[in-house]
Amino acid sequence: MSLDYSAVPRMPDGRTAAEHIGAVEATGRAIRVPMGNGGTMMWHAWGEGSGKPILLLFHGGSGSWIHWIRNVQPLSRHFTVYAADLPGLGDSDPPDDVRDVWSVTRCVEAAMTALLPPDATLAITGFSFGGMIAGHIATLFADRIRRIVLVGAGGLKATRKPGPKLHKLLPEMPAETLAAEARRNLEILMIHDPAKVDGVAIHMQILNTTRAKTRSREMGQAFRLSEVLPRVTVPLTGIWGEFDSTTYPHIQERIDLFRALQPDFEMNVIPGAGHWVAYEAAEAFNEKLIGILSG
C-alpha cells in the first residue's frame, strides 16, 4: 500500500518535502555495497575525491540518512561525508537478525570494508541508535577510527524520565491522520520546540518508520551500548540537545558514565534543542561537530 503524503506541509517555496529531500540527495552520490549476508547497504556520499578527512554518519532508530539532511552539505565543506542507511532501515536490506545488535554491526563492518580504502582513517558521528552501532563498530576498527562523536546516543543504562507512548504509523491511515500522528511522535521524542516540526520532518517520520525492519528500540532497551563501552578504546565525545527527551533532566548521569571509562570525555550541550539536535539546531550542531573533528 502506498503512503499518502498529501497532508504533509509544503516548503515555504511551495515544493513538497519529498522534492526538497530529493534535491539534497541529488547533490551527493548514492552507493550500494555488499554487507556480507547477501544483501546490500545504501550510503549517500558528499565530497568524494576531495581528499578531505572521512566522516561516517550513522542515523537514529527507525531512520535513514535523512536524519542528516541539514548537515551533509555544510559538513562536506570540511569532510568526505558518507551517510549510511543502517541495515534494515532506509533503503538498506535487513541483517540476518533484526533484533541482534551484532548482526547489524557485522553487516556494517562488511559494508565499510567494501566502501572505504583499506588504509583510510575516519571519524564516526552516531545519532541515537547510530551511536550504539558506532560503539560496536569501534571494537572492530579501533586502529582506524580517530574519534566517535555520540549524539543523544541510545542503549545506555541510565535514568530516563517516562513519557507518552509513541503511536504506530500505518500506511492505511488517512493522510491527515498519518501527518498528525507523525507530528505527535516528533514532538514527543525528537524535537523540543513544536514550531520546529516542519514538513520535511513529518515526511521523514512517515517514510522511515513505516519501512523500518530492524528493531532498534529493543536493542536500546537492552542497554547494548553500555554493554560494549568498556571495550571501546576510540576517543569519544558527546553532543546532546539540552532537552533531549531520552536524557533530560539526567544529563550528568551520562557524563559520569562516560568519564568513568574515558576521564577526558567532553559533553557538548546545545541549548534549547531536543533529541534530534542535528536537525532542530542544525547550524549550532554543524559548527560544534566541525570544531570537535577539526581540533
Side-chain angles (χ1 to χ4, degrees), residues 20-281:
H20 173 69
I21 293 167
V24 175
E25 182 178 1
T27 64
R29 183 172 78 98
I31 311 166
R32 277 197 175 275
V33 297
M35 57 185 193
N37 69 341
T40 59
M41 185 171 168
M42 176 67 83
W43 300 77
H44 293 270
W46 286 264
E48 282 185 298
S50 65
K52 295 172 183 174
I54 294 172
L55 172 61
L56 307 187
L57 301 177
F58 292 173
H59 61 75
S62 299
S64 74
W65 78 269
I66 303 171
H67 276 169
W68 307 106
I69 192 165
R70 291 182 171 175
N71 318 110
V72 289
Q73 291 171 311
L75 292 175
S76 71
R77 292 196 282 270
H78 301 265
F79 309 102
T80 302
V81 176
Y82 294 96
D85 279 2
L86 293 171
L89 301 169
D91 287 320
S92 290
D93 293 327
D96 293 322
D97 185 345
V98 298
R99 290 179 166 83
D100 179 61
V101 68
W102 281 111
S103 186
V104 175
T105 301
R106 291 297 181 184
C107 287
V108 176
E109 177 191 20
M112 286 173 59
T113 301
L115 178 73
L116 302 172
D119 58 345
T121 57
L122 56 120
I124 301 176
T125 298
F127 167 48
S128 197
F129 174 62
M132 194 191 319
I133 300 304
H136 285 73
I137 281 291
T139 67
L140 306 176
F141 286 84
D143 59 337
R144 295 179 57 188
I145 303 172
R146 56 189 183 89
R147 183 167 299 276
I148 291 176
V149 181
L150 300 172
V151 183
L156 295 171
K157 194 171 186 178
T159 307
R160 180 170 175 175
K161 184 173 71 174
K165 289 188 175 182
L166 304 180
H167 291 171
K168 188 173 180 61
L169 304 183
L170 303 171
E172 60 268 23
M173 286 177 170
E176 292 76 11
T177 304
L178 200 56
E181 293 288 15
R183 176 182 288 278
R184 174 187 178 275
N185 288 351
L186 287 162
E187 291 179 3
I188 289 170
L189 176 63
M190 298 285 272
I191 294 178
H192 176 64
D193 181 356
K196 302 281 181 67
V197 179
D198 63 1
V200 172
I202 291 170
H203 183 102
M204 180 283 304
Q205 191 74 0
I206 295 169
L207 173 65
N208 286 342
T209 59
T210 54
R211 62 181 172 168
K213 297 179 179 67
T214 293
R215 307 295 187 184
S216 52
R217 183 172 295 184
E218 293 179 21
M219 299 176 206
Q221 291 170 341
F223 310 125
R224 294 307 186 206
L225 181 54
S226 282
E227 189 178 81
V228 80
L229 273 178
R231 295 164 51 194
V232 175
T233 58
V234 175
L236 302 174
T237 302
I239 302 178
W240 254 250
E242 178 186 9
F243 297 109
D244 187 322
S245 63
T246 71
T247 300
Y248 183 82
H250 304 289
I251 187 70
Q252 189 61 46
E253 189 176 347
R254 272 76 174 171
I255 296 171
D256 294 343
L257 184 157
F258 286 115
R259 286 187 179 162
L261 299 167
Q262 295 192 9
D264 59 349
F265 174 84
E266 179 186 0
M267 176 67 84
N268 301 273
V269 177
I270 295 185
H275 185 48
W276 191 13
V277 59
Y279 190 82
E280 185 173 4

